[in-house]
Amino acid sequence: MNVSAPMGPAVLGDAHIGSHAKRAALRRDLVGYAFLAPWLVGFFVFSLGPVLASLYLSFTKFDLLTPPQWIGLDNYARMFGSDARFWQALKVTFVYMILEVPLKLCFALLVALALDKGIRGGSLYRALFYVPSLLGGSVAIAVLWRQLFEGNGLVNQVLLWAFGIRGPAWISNPDTSLYTLVLLAIWQFGSPMIIFLAGLRQVPQDLYEAASMDGAGAWRRFRKITLPMLAPVVFFNLVLQVIEGFKAFTPAFVVSGGTGGPVDSTLFYTLYLYQEAFAYFRMGYASALAWVLLIVIGIFTAISFLTSKYWVYYEDDPR
Amino acid sequence: MTAPTRRQFIAAAALAMPWFHVQAQPVTRLRCFWWGNPDRDKRTRTLLNTYGKDNNLKISAESLGWGEYWTKLGTQVAGGNAPDLLQMDYRYMFEYARRDALLALDQLLPLPEFSSHDRDSGKVDGKLYGVSLGSNAKAMVYDVGVLQKVGVKSIASELTWDEFSRIAGEISKLNPGKYWGSSDSSRLEQVFEQWLISRGKSLYTVDGKPGFVADDVAIWFDMWDKLRQAEVIPPAHVAATNTGRIEENEITRGLAATSFINSNQVVAFQALNRNKLAIGMYPRVKGGSSGQYIKPAMMMSVSAKSKAPEEAARLVNYMVTNPDGVRLLGLERGVPCSAAARALLLPELDELGKQQIEFVVMVSKAAVQLPPPPPRGAGEIENLLRRVADSVAFGKVSVKDGASQFHSETINILRRA
């Protein structure tokens, strides 16, 4: 194995160095790679390998028990041509994202602004608001959510008691089930909130003082100072949340018992992929689905980056 | 930091070697994997512990719910890491056996205690791959007390769907809007199948095609839709989150007086229900057959990759013929095939147990022929029926459109599988 890359050009090109020094350098390299080995092995064996294997599998028919069978672009053709559930899964995922990402970010920003004002016990609230983010992805919370929004769940009991309204069975009604999951996602606003809070602390206070002296009100200060100064953080949070939104799986899986029901109303893309792979053992088709998801996420991230120059302002930007 | 010299490294490695050289004890290890419920898990674990202790075996036990079980088993078999003993279902046995995942047990397990019918039900292409742990039949489970309230002492063996609807309707009037006579079973494949057979059709033909046409589905959806309109069965959202688990069933949730299950499941149902339960045959179409048959409720198979096939086979034999094994498993997995095992259990059975044995005998007298094993893709079609029936129930599609959707998608799935 040729392992000289980290040594740099000085060593690489120098033919005058004696073989002894060369061997010493090689040994030093080897030690370096030995220390890197756990990561390298992990990356090649558990990340890159499977990723490339799934690319190959996406062109095959593969049911785990019999060897994969090359079928060319059939999986992709089927997906875009005749698979209604594929489109349903895309629709569900997009509706979820369009609602969840902006609402969660707005809410996170609002709470961050309130906590930034230095209220008494601020750090306690900060910790409390962060807790849902730690718990949110867990099965227990999804089960709890199911209990809350059932036909005779807590939400409906409160509605009945407080307003005399008989609420629908939120979770098991195809018209409302997805929104309960949106709500669950918004509830986990903790991590973008913490990032916003850190961003707010970075805004120079003298800007606010100068603006106040010039007679700018709270809303104007927010519009003209806070938002522009916070734009890079908003951007960072946006990209993160979009990627996370596409990957959402646990809540839908637990709440619908793995079916994406009722009537495919919570059939997230990842859930559909999971069903194809592990319920119906169509590993080839599931791999193709995974690659389409990767490309869609890539496109959205690229759009965010390309448009960012029109609305994200970096203080050290020479523009 | 100075890098260790090669000599130092070798010395260190030599020192570390004994750690990797731990002598393996000559204890046979077996892994047993099944789909279960709390009651079944307790029985099976006790059996495995007892047997392991008596025979100096290390047996690791694992159980999952039905859906997750097949996911995990499939991945384990594909990864060459299948458990030695695995619980098998009639639905999947053919697929696994024909792909050489299972061990032919003819030599290891002659099973003289079994009738040839019971032995044959575990055979694929003439070889024994599954040992039946018990027989069952489809059964309607009902709340005895509630049915008595409307003057029904027990479910007749020739109850028609019309009579059933009438009884269910009366129950629904007891506590309107809160408690119903029956669960919504338009979405349940096994009820649909029995209804088709009762009408002289079938779910699948021998060559793996649908044994019904779209009009059959329309009649089926329409029957349940009328019951829904008349509030004999609960509204759509009550059944929509039910994925088949016992704790999600309308009977267990205290929402309905009758539901459609398999006869052996009554043990697990009663374990979760305070009210007294009983079982009867599914209703039939007027003038039609019973639509019911006896099948192995579940089987035990041995992996083709097992390193200790003799030990594994002996354990299977213990489960179905040894008095201790038979007692520990009871009737939870169905009525045992061995006559000696049944005779052993009979005096110790409670009322529900006796009823289960009587029920299987009663069904066997009226039984139709065991249908061919479902084709590949049947599991997906089971979920398809839930989905389409739900969209009919929620009024998203009409009965007629739902019926043709179910029929055409069934054909697509079968063609693709």
Side-chain angles (χ1 to χ4, degrees):
Chain A
M1 193 172 77
N2 182 6
V3 281
S4 45
M7 289 312 294
V11 176
L12 265 181
D14 202 338
H16 297 293
I17 289 182
S19 71
H20 187 75
K22 228 179 195 167
R23 277 185 50 194
L26 184 67
R27 186 171 297 168
R28 209 166 55 206
D29 283 8
L30 276 176
V31 170
Y33 278 100
F35 277 104
L36 262 182
W39 185 85
L40 284 176
V41 169
F43 177 72
F44 283 106
V45 176
F46 296 116
S47 292
L48 193 63
V51 166
L52 292 178
S54 89
L55 180 62
Y56 162 70
L57 287 177
S58 76
F59 299 106
T60 65
K61 187 176 175 171
F62 180 41
D63 65 0
L64 280 182
L65 293 179
T66 39
Q69 193 187 333
W70 184 267
I71 53 167
L73 287 171
D74 279 12
N75 284 333
Y76 293 94
R78 184 192 146 75
M79 206 182 299
F80 291 102
S82 60
D83 188 356
R85 292 193 86 203
F86 165 73
W87 294 107
Q88 171 68 12
L90 272 184
K91 194 184 117 193
V92 166
T93 308
F94 276 111
V95 170
Y96 173 77
M97 298 251 312
I98 286 167
L99 292 173
E100 177 252 347
V101 175
L103 284 174
K104 188 202 259 185
L105 289 184
C106 287
F107 198 59
L109 182 58
L110 265 178
V111 177
L113 283 171
L115 289 181
D116 190 42
K117 289 283 169 279
I119 47 174
R120 194 192 290 246
S123 55
L124 175 70
Y125 285 115
R126 209 158 55 218
L128 279 181
F129 285 135
Y130 192 68
V131 168
S133 286
L134 294 175
L135 301 175
S138 72
V139 171
I141 290 297
V143 171
L144 178 77
W145 219 251
R146 195 174 157 158
Q147 305 269 325
L148 275 178
F149 286 95
E150 262 175 358
N152 55 356
L154 193 62
V155 170
N156 278 350
Q157 284 173 20
V158 169
L159 278 180
L160 190 66
W161 174 77
F163 306 102
I165 302 171
R166 196 169 276 282
W170 306 95
I171 284 274
S172 48
N173 188 327
D175 296 327
T176 51
S177 54
L178 184 58
Y179 303 114
T180 62
L181 296 183
V182 170
L183 211 60
L184 174 59
I186 297 171
W187 180 63
Q188 300 159 44
F189 60 92
S191 61
M193 177 202 75
I194 294 286
I195 298 172
F196 277 135
L197 208 51
L200 288 172
R201 296 276 153 91
Q202 298 294 315
V203 181
Q205 291 304 308
D206 49 347
L207 291 179
Y208 290 116
E209 280 163 24
S212 299
M213 281 201 209
D214 289 343
W219 171 242
R220 211 183 159 94
R221 286 201 301 271
F222 175 73
R223 276 281 322 276
K224 297 288 180 188
I225 302 173
T226 313
L227 262 191
M229 295 299 285
L230 213 53
V233 180
V234 174
F235 174 61
F236 175 78
N237 267 336
L238 178 73
V239 172
L240 223 60
Q241 292 303 322
V242 165
I243 294 175
E244 240 170 57
F246 273 116
K247 284 163 55 188
F249 176 78
T250 318
F253 182 83
V254 176
V255 166
S256 71
T259 62
V263 202
D264 280 353
S265 59
T266 60
L267 186 72
F268 283 25
Y269 194 91
T270 48
L271 188 54
Y272 180 49
L273 194 160
Y274 175 86
Q275 283 183 2
E276 286 291 309
F278 297 105
Y280 308 138
F281 294 113
R282 282 195 277 261
M283 293 295 165
Y285 193 64
S287 299
L289 284 172
W291 275 87
V292 169
L293 177 64
L294 179 75
I295 291 164
V296 170
I297 293 181
I299 290 172
F300 270 78
T301 313
I303 291 174
S304 319
F305 271 94
L306 288 177
T307 56
S308 70
K309 67 174 175 206
Y310 299 108
W311 61 274
V312 178
Y313 163 75
Y314 292 97
E315 218 178 343
D316 52 359
D317 194 339
R319 269 185 298 149
Chain B
M1 192 199 82
T2 38
T5 67
R6 190 177 301 157
R7 213 164 297 142
Q8 280 168 333
F9 182 76
I10 291 171
L15 275 175
M17 274 308 279
W19 290 99
F20 299 103
H21 206 69
V22 176
Q23 195 74 40
Q25 290 292 312
V27 170
T28 314
R29 285 166 193 275
L30 288 177
R31 279 167 59 216
C32 183
F33 188 28
W34 67 94
W35 72 87
N37 58 54
D39 189 42
R40 181 178 310 155
D41 297 350
K42 209 170 92 193
R43 289 166 186 271
T44 316
R45 280 177 206 280
T46 317
L47 179 139
L48 294 176
N49 283 340
T50 315
Y51 185 81
K53 224 176 270 163
D54 294 350
N55 295 278
N56 194 27
L57 287 173
K58 275 212 151 58
I59 309 176
S60 63
E62 192 185 353
S63 80
L64 282 175
W66 167 265
E68 297 85 16
Y69 175 80
W70 296 105
T71 299
K72 187 153 185 188
L73 185 67
T75 28
Q76 286 193 345
V77 168
N81 185 31
D84 301 273
L85 292 122
L86 44 106
Q87 195 167 290
M88 215 358 98
D89 183 61
Y90 186 64
R91 180 183 289 256
Y92 291 99
M93 179 176 64
F94 289 72
E95 216 170 313
Y96 275 84
R98 285 179 180 154
R99 283 168 179 172
D100 301 326
L102 305 181
L103 187 73
L105 295 167
D106 306 75
Q107 303 296 322
L108 293 170
L109 284 173
L111 292 177
E113 301 86 351
F114 278 41
S115 73
S116 63
H117 171 267
D118 289 329
R119 242 191 340 263
D120 287 351
S121 62
K123 282 187 178 173
V124 177
D125 304 327
K127 283 192 207 152
L128 182 73
Y129 289 101
V131 175
S132 174
L133 296 174
S135 306
N136 70 1
K138 294 171 182 184
M140 187 168 82
V141 61
Y142 58 91
D143 187 315
V144 178
V146 176
L147 259 74
Q148 266 166 2
K149 266 190 213 161
V150 295
V152 179
K153 280 215 185 73
S154 71
I155 291 291
S157 62
E158 298 198 1
L159 187 75
T160 64
W161 278 105
D162 291 339
E163 287 160 353
F164 170 77
S165 307
R166 186 188 55 77
I167 296 171
E170 279 177 33
I171 296 171
S172 301
K173 279 184 205 134
L174 294 176
N175 193 358
K178 294 242 166 86
Y179 190 82
W180 292 271
S182 165
S183 58
D184 186 342
S185 302
S186 61
R187 58 208 298 281
L188 296 185
E189 180 223 44
Q190 64 169 3
V191 192
F192 180 53
E193 190 208 24
Q194 181 269 347
W195 178 82
L196 283 172
I197 299 175
S198 173
R199 294 173 71 241
K201 304 249 179 167
S202 67
L203 188 53
Y204 303 111
T205 60
V206 182
D207 53 351
K209 301 244 159 53
F212 56 92
V213 294
D215 282 345
D216 296 318
V217 191
I219 298 171
W220 170 253
F221 282 163
D222 187 56
M223 175 174 105
W224 289 98
D225 203 51
K226 289 211 172 86
L227 292 177
R228 202 176 295 116
Q229 306 293 341
E231 294 179 20
V232 172
I233 59 169
H237 69 80
V238 171
T241 46
N242 182 347
T243 56
R245 269 185 275 241
I246 293 174
E247 60 270 27
E248 286 173 336
N249 191 285
E250 285 79 359
I251 281 213
T252 316
R253 282 154 69 197
L255 294 171
T258 61
S259 194
F260 298 88
I261 63 170
N262 290 310
S263 57
N264 63 302
Q265 287 178 304
V266 72
V267 178
F269 265 82
Q270 187 66 75
L272 287 184
N273 279 272
R274 209 172 292 144
N275 294 355
K276 194 173 151 212
L277 303 178
I279 46 177
M281 277 163 81
Y282 280 18
R284 60 176 72 194
V285 173
K286 207 177 217 163
S289 72
S290 71
Q292 301 221 195
Y293 48 83
I294 308 280
K295 72 169 183 64
M298 52 203 83
M299 297 179 276
M300 202 44 90
S301 294
V302 175
S303 160
K305 292 253 171 74
S306 173
K307 291 204 179 74
E310 292 89 6
E311 283 296 346
R314 230 168 296 167
L315 176 49
V316 176
N317 199 46
Y318 177 83
M319 289 177 179
V320 293
T321 60
N322 184 290
D324 294 334
V326 169
R327 271 202 193 95
L328 285 170
L329 293 188
L331 292 179
E332 201 282 322
R333 280 184 170 91
V335 178
C337 297
S338 145
R342 283 199 300 270
L344 178 80
L345 286 178
L346 204 55
E348 300 164 13
L349 286 176
D350 57 2
E351 198 184 336
L352 200 64
K354 288 204 179 90
Q355 201 185 8
Q356 201 191 137
I357 292 191
E358 281 162 18
F359 179 74
V360 170
V361 171
M362 179 173 83
V363 171
S364 64
K365 282 180 191 147
V368 299
Q369 208 193 340
L370 185 65
R376 293 184 64 188
E380 192 172 354
I381 292 164
E382 189 185 344
N383 291 337
L384 174 71
L385 180 62
R386 282 209 179 92
R387 197 161 72 234
V388 179
D390 282 349
S391 44
V392 172
F394 279 111
K396 301 266 169 203
V397 293
S398 68
V399 164
K400 203 159 165 281
D401 293 348
S404 60
Q405 184 195 345
F406 178 72
H407 185 252
S408 63
E409 284 190 31
T410 297
I411 293 173
N412 281 339
I413 290 171
L414 290 174
R415 198 179 289 149
R416 202 178 157 207

